[in-house]
């Protein structure tokens, strides 16, 4: 969740991009959308964005960037590093995201995205403390507005500590169930002709070790038992033991 972040779209023109930005905000738990000089038709059309209507319904429209970021202690602009000379510090997304996360633990921040065609203008940039860029390749430096919002927000919620946390483990299958699987498996393998009497003992040992190497959970063990019982029953119908 990003309760202390405002996403500011400056002069957006395409309703699909506005909707995509709102959808990305909903994905990553950021609910404060602000628009500056939005194209009115595009803005109203975007309010039908799939599963993001609540973001747009709560959004606010401002006449200028200064008014849009007035309550924010940190204002960060995004840039694709085009030919314009900029006088702000420019930080890669990974480093800039870390600085923003630290700031947002106690204070509000705004993240500015420019129009699809021109990006942020000089007047917009004058409100920024510094700029942040997504490290795209030089030959294709700009990204779609909705994609840019999604990438930046993901970086802001990303947590190295959580990434290192092991996934929640499931209840492992007990030895009794594993032995039942081994027994049923040996039975169907024998009926199918896979197991030869001369090596039946070693095949059973290999099968038992194989079953345990699978690391089955209790739930998966039940599934395997059900499948093997069904296979065994089907084999008994096709190849009665009396034959």
């Amino acid at each position: 969740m990003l309760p202390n972040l405002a996403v500011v779209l400056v002069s957006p023109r395409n309703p699909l991009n506005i909707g995509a930005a709102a959808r990305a905000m909903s994905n990553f738990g950021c609910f404060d959308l602000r628009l500056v000089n939005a194209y009115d038709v595009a803005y109203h059309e975007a309010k039908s964005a799939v599963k993001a209507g609540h973001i747009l319904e709560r959004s606010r429209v401002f006449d200028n960037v200064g008014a849009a970021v007035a309550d924010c202690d940190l204002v960060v602009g995004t840039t694709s590093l085009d030919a314009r000379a900029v006088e702000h510090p420019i930080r890669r997304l990974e480093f800039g995201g870390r600085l923003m996360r630290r700031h947002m633990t106690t204070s509000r921040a705004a993240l500015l995205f420019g129009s699809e065609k021109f990006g942020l203008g000089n007047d917009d940039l004058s409100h920024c403390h510094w700029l942040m860029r997504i490290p795209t390749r030089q030959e294709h430096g700009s990204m779609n507005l909705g994609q840019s919002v999604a990438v930046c927000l993901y970086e802001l919620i990303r947590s190295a500590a959580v990434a290192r946390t092991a996934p929640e483990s499931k209840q492992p299958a007990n030895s009794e169930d594993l032995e039942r699987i081994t027994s049923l498996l040996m039975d169907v393998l024998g009926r199918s002709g896979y197991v030869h009497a001369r090596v039946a003992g070693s095949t059973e040992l290999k099968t038992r070790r194989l079953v345990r190497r699978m690391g089955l959970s209790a739930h998966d063990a039940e599934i395997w038992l059900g499948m093997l019982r069904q296979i065994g029953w089907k084999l008994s119908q096709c190849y009665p033991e009396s034959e």
Side-chain angles (χ1 to χ4, degrees), residues 119-132:
L120 294 172
N122 290 330
D123 184 66
D124 307 323
L125 293 172
S126 69
H127 294 276
C128 299
H129 292 87
W130 44 270
L131 306 179
M132 187 162 65

Side-chain angles (χ1 to χ4, degrees), residues 74-109:
L74 174 65
V75 180
V76 177
T78 56
T79 179
S80 61
L81 285 179
D82 59 17
R84 292 178 302 170
V86 292
E87 299 179 0
H88 293 72
I90 301 176
R91 297 177 170 117
R92 271 179 60 120
L93 178 61
E94 303 91 333
F95 180 59
R98 188 162 65 247
L99 295 180
M100 290 190 69
R101 284 196 298 270
R102 188 182 308 159
H103 178 88
M104 289 188 296
T105 58
T106 58
S107 303
R108 292 196 62 78

